Amino acid sequence: MLEVDALTVAAGGFRLHEVALTVPDGECHAVLGPSGSGKSTLLHALLGLLPPERGRIVLGGADVTRLPIERRGFGYVPQGLGLFPHLSVHDNLTYGARARGVPAAELRRLVDRLVERTGIGHLLDRRPPTLSGGERQRVGLVRALASQPRLLLLDEPFTALNESLRRELWWLLRELQRERRLAVLLVTHDLAEAYFLAERVTVLLDGRVVQQGEKAEVFGRPVAPAVARFLGVETLHPGRVLRVHEGLATVAVGSVELTALASPGLPADVLVSIRGEEVVLQAHGGGASSARNALPARVLAVRPGSPLSCVELDAGFPLFALVTRPACEDLDLRPGQRVVACVKAPAVHLVGGAGPSNGH
Amino acid sequence: MSLRHFTIAAAAAVLLLYGGLILSLAWFFDGAALHAAVRSERTLSAVRLSLLAATLAATLALLLAVPAAYALSRYRFRGRELVDTVLELPIVVSPAALGAMLLIFFNNPLGEWIERHAVSFVFAFAGIVLAQFVTVLGVAVRLLKTAFDEVPVELETVARTLGASPRHAWFTITLPLARRGLVAAFVLAWAKALGEFGATIMVAGTMAMRTETLPVAIYLRLASADLEGTVALIVVLVTIGLLALYATRRLLGRTVRA
């Protein structure tokens, strides 16, 4: 288990403030944030490349804050993978064991298992520059695992791959992680990657942890407008809470009123956030729905995408819906079309500290 | 003229310049003089002296340049900029001035103490090595720094997360990946030392069979208006230099394929 406690690091003019997070064995924890948010600084501090001003890094119960890199017990797969180009794949995989003087027989069993599991047996005599992107990723992962780390640090390792290969490797990583009950800390700005791989998520902005928790909670209920914007919530609009009754809040947004779940201590001025995939579109004059919010709306624009297209609506305030292409065709969605946009009350998330409208 | 034609013409001009200089030797080339020069004990002594001094100077320069270049490439430390600037000293200051500075140093109390109690440099073989060492050190550090810059730090970090100590990571990852730069730095330092004249003559003088290197021998032949002898020695020097460069290209080619 990794425990990071109040870690404060200065790097040039940048400062990482009081970062705390925990990664239990067998769990993947994603650190999310845009460029310049402090992800790399955190990673470098964990690796021991940057000395912290304050705070502690505890791995498997041992304080590793001041230990040199090679004695920390982290496995590391950087964005560029860091494969040694002058060594064969086999020598890359056994490098760590040789450096640490692990007996050859013990090492061979572990490497053989990992090689067979990841299907890279035919690559052992090749050199990294001759491998494809996917093959290189597999070798990078196996090499890190072969050193039997107590925690695997992944720094956006799948960024350079195409979508299908990336998903294939996500599955492989998830299976390996669960089989080996490995703690993984994934640093990424790829929301889909974090959502697929991680159980818990930490969002870093400007060197501070702004939100942390179960991924569904963080993605579904961002605590601040900046988090919502980073997490790609399609609709963000300021609103005013008119009343709260039996746990439901009525919020004035643009020229309409929405019903949302009320949380304790809800301020009067809020930012209404609605994820595009939570908006259901019906043909105008369609049947009844259980959704508390059924808003007559006019289609302003349809931006085709794969697999989801983004539909921009005027529902009394700017509202964005993500729908599949077949759904777009069935409803014959085009600018000027009138539809009903349905949003369930739990999908209308109210964020305190409303800023200006984000729009698209 | 297109960019392609212009740049190829410039490359041809470089070849024409140096090729023309070598070919112009033919005007005063005398086979008998070359034969006599090659068989002369004095010339052979100058060749031996030049090869030995250049090899020692280049080796010593690399022994200091490798760690210094690595520090400049990887670490931020106080005085780093100063060290980086001082590397250009042998380029901006003429070799003769560098030699004069060495001579002045050995006339200072510390230099005199070294001369008396440690190693005698002035008008001695050690002086040739020292003069060449001082002249080539900056270039060697500069070349090696570039070589280390080209090895991603990330590889060393990964090696260490795999359990390698800094020293193990350096010897197994950094050094092998910088080997082309290392070979190139040694050869260029060696070639520059072989042709070094200004600093050598200042510190070691021109004593035949003792401190007379090939460039010094060429100067002395020319000073005595022996053009055929001068050309013969130049041919010897150019042949040694070109053979060394050819061997290096073969070696580097093999290094790449290895």
Side-chain angles (χ1 to χ4, degrees), chain B residues 110-198:
Chain B
L110 176 62
E112 284 177 350
W113 186 90
I114 292 171
E115 277 282 304
R116 272 200 303 274
H117 299 99
V119 186
S120 180
F121 288 98
V122 180
F123 301 124
F125 173 73
I128 303 173
V129 177
L130 179 65
Q132 294 180 351
F133 171 80
V134 170
T135 313
V136 304
L137 180 64
V139 178
V141 175
R142 180 68 73 219
L143 286 169
L144 285 166
K145 180 183 176 298
T146 307
F148 287 130
D149 284 345
E150 285 171 6
V151 179
V153 184
E154 184 180 87
L155 297 184
E156 292 171 14
T157 305
V158 170
R160 292 191 63 195
T161 61
L162 293 171
S165 66
R167 187 174 300 183
H168 187 82
W170 194 83
F171 277 108
T172 55
I173 304 298
T174 316
L175 199 60
L177 289 175
R179 63 191 166 182
R180 275 176 63 87
L182 210 71
V183 173
F186 179 81
V187 171
L188 282 174
W190 183 84
K192 191 169 162 58
L194 188 72
E196 212 294 313
F197 171 72

Side-chain angles (χ1 to χ4, degrees), chain A residues 276-320:
Chain A
E277 55 268 41
E278 303 280 6
V279 180
V280 176
L281 299 184
Q282 291 181 344
H284 192 61
S289 162
S290 67
R292 294 306 308 155
N293 305 295
L295 308 166
R298 191 165 56 87
V299 176
L300 296 176
V302 179
R303 289 199 292 273
S306 177
L308 297 174
S309 297
C310 182
V311 183
E312 190 178 340
L313 302 155
D314 177 5
F317 67 99
L319 179 67
F320 296 86

Side-chain angles (χ1 to χ4, degrees), chain A residues 115-131:
Chain A
V115 163
E116 189 187 336
R117 180 72 185 77
T118 52
I120 57 170
H122 61 295
L123 305 173
L124 294 178
D125 294 329
R126 304 251 304 266
R127 295 219 174 169
T130 68
L131 305 180

